[in-house]
Amino acid sequence: MLERDLPRSLKLTPDRIDFTSNDYLGLSRSADLHKRISEVYESLPVKRNGSTGSRLLSGNSELVMQTEEKLAAIFRSEKTLLFDSGYSANLAVLSTFCHRGDSILMDERCHASIKDGARLSLANKWNFRHNDLDDLDRKLQVTTNSKWIVVESIYSMDGDLCPLEDIVALAKKYDARIILDEAHSTGVMGTGGNGYANHLDLQKDIDIRIYTFGKAMGVHGACVAMEHWQQNYMVNFSRPFIYTTAPSDHSVVSISCAVDYLREHIYLQEELKSRIDQLQSETQIHAVIVPGVEEVQRTASLLQEKGFDVRPILSPTVREGQERIRICLHTFNTPEQIGSLMSNLRTLGL
């Protein structure tokens, strides 16, 4: 039986005002970016429909390696390594670098991919209360061996920022290392969209950073930003890297073109910020708490009837009693659309 008798199902996205997708900068729908990707791909001397194998067999190419060098320069790291998704990148990082006997201290609201990677690592696992520095401090005091603090820049269900400067201070105090998932800050923060750590100029204090391209960058895939020795270690010991078919040339071209396009249209970050300010939110993700599964589903249905594409987030995805409407803002949401959404939320007493 499915958990709590709340089965998930696949549905087509209705023609409503998008307040649910991760296309924060509108790049997935950009005709200009689509044209650029097509032109660059057509200019390749050899066009392959697929990569034909893993990177260690037949799937490597100059295109992949040049793109990784470009990404390393943007994200201000010695090296990067491409993955097909942020999920597989997180799985690879946690399962490769955290070993039996190590201690992983994760924010309790970290993504499922981080939790799954931690399970595969065989390390000791500790959750600390969300953004609670005192709780993290207490747990750092009692953990042993190598210590890994794992946090996200922007949390996907709450839309709040990680207190990264304070976490860096704690890591230094307890000789811990930091893994930072930049999934929802990639593109929307930092020079050229290089994320929260770079925005705060803390990139050198973070041991490993994961960036994804399937959200604000509008395409697909992810990369891990790290030191040279760490990249070499992953190439040799990361099972999700070694035994996975490499990204296709079209996917790699899409990533390369998307990062170039954003650097040339960096004003999109300010456009998104103006939408965030209008909703009086901290980031482009805004959670409206509506406790109770039936109540949050009813509320979402009422908003959908008004033409807004919003979705209810149910337990166990979030804690019981913390069910919510998750609102995602985009550059293509007009001030009038946001104002209308806010008005309808007020009418519902939210």
Side-chain angles (χ1 to χ4, degrees), residues 193-236:
N194 60 7
Y196 189 41
N198 279 293
H199 174 69
L200 297 176
D201 198 26
L202 292 173
Q203 70 283 350
K204 292 182 179 179
D205 295 306
I206 312 300
D207 294 84
I208 300 174
R209 291 168 277 142
I210 299 96
Y211 295 89
T212 61
F213 307 112
K215 297 177 173 62
M217 300 310 300
V219 288
H220 193 69
C223 76
V224 179
M226 54 195 155
E227 295 180 11
H228 186 280
W229 76 266
Q230 292 170 320
Q231 187 213 46
N232 186 59
Y233 192 83
M234 291 199 81
V235 168
N236 281 275

Side-chain angles (χ1 to χ4, degrees), residues 21-45:
S21 80
N22 294 323
D23 188 22
Y24 307 127
L25 300 175
L27 296 188
S28 79
R29 59 179 66 194
S30 168
D32 289 341
L33 177 55
H34 183 277
K35 180 181 178 183
R36 180 178 297 194
I37 292 169
S38 298
E39 290 174 348
V40 173
Y41 181 71
E42 287 302 317
S43 72
L44 295 179

Side-chain angles (χ1 to χ4, degrees), residues 83-99:
F83 284 84
D84 282 314
S85 69
Y87 190 102
S88 60
N90 276 333
L91 210 65
V93 167
L94 272 294
S95 63
T96 303
F97 288 103
C98 305
H99 303 135

Side-chain angles (χ1 to χ4, degrees), residues 268-285:
L268 291 170
Q269 287 185 342
E270 287 302 314
E271 287 194 5
L272 182 62
K273 186 177 185 304
S274 71
R275 309 304 193 266
I276 294 169
D277 291 343
Q278 182 182 353
L279 193 61
Q280 299 179 355
S281 182
E282 185 177 10
T283 69
Q284 74 275 11
I285 302 170

Side-chain angles (χ1 to χ4, degrees), residues 62-263:
E62 284 190 24
L63 173 65
V64 178
M65 298 179 75
Q66 289 169 357
T67 301
E68 287 175 337
E69 289 300 315
K70 174 191 285 190
L71 295 172
I74 292 170
F75 297 127
R76 300 166 72 187
S77 62
E78 289 184 8
K79 290 290 183 178
T80 64
L81 197 62
L82 280 170
F83 284 84
D84 282 314
S85 69
Y87 190 102
S88 60
N90 276 333
L91 210 65
V93 167
L94 272 294
S95 63
T96 303
F97 288 103
C98 305
H99 303 135
R100 188 186 298 274
D102 289 355
S103 295
I104 299 174
L105 300 101
M106 300 175 288
D107 188 290
E108 64 181 350
R109 297 185 188 173
C110 277
H111 190 264
S113 57
I114 292 173
K115 296 176 181 178
D116 289 350
R119 292 189 189 100
L120 288 174
S121 73
L122 304 180
N124 299 314
K125 295 166 284 293
W126 304 68
N127 285 332
F128 64 90
R129 289 195 292 271
H130 179 55
N131 280 349
D132 189 328
L133 297 167
D134 291 334
D135 192 39
L136 175 57
D137 192 317
R138 285 191 292 270
K139 288 181 169 63
L140 283 165
Q141 291 179 40
V142 298
T143 51
T144 57
N145 297 335
S146 295
K147 304 178 184 186
W148 294 89
I149 301 171
V150 190
V151 291
E152 301 180 22
S153 294
I154 299 174
Y155 287 91
S156 61
M157 289 296 113
D158 296 86
D160 53 350
L161 287 161
C162 160
L164 192 57
E165 292 169 307
D166 294 323
I167 285 175
V168 165
L170 281 176
K172 291 179 178 179
K173 177 181 177 181
Y174 291 101
D175 194 26
R177 288 171 282 185
I178 300 174
I179 296 171
L180 178 65
D181 183 352
E182 297 255 26
H184 293 276
S185 61
T186 307
V188 305
M189 302 181 76
T191 304
N194 60 7
Y196 189 41
N198 279 293
H199 174 69
L200 297 176
D201 198 26
L202 292 173
Q203 70 283 350
K204 292 182 179 179
D205 295 306
I206 312 300
D207 294 84
I208 300 174
R209 291 168 277 142
I210 299 96
Y211 295 89
T212 61
F213 307 112
K215 297 177 173 62
M217 300 310 300
V219 288
H220 193 69
C223 76
V224 179
M226 54 195 155
E227 295 180 11
H228 186 280
W229 76 266
Q230 292 170 320
Q231 187 213 46
N232 186 59
Y233 192 83
M234 291 199 81
V235 168
N236 281 275
F237 297 105
S238 174
R239 295 171 68 86
F241 175 82
I242 295 168
Y243 299 107
T244 298
T245 300
S248 69
D249 289 349
H250 190 275
S251 180
V252 176
V253 166
S254 297
I255 292 168
S256 180
C257 289
V259 295
D260 287 343
Y261 186 87
L262 178 57
R263 284 187 293 177

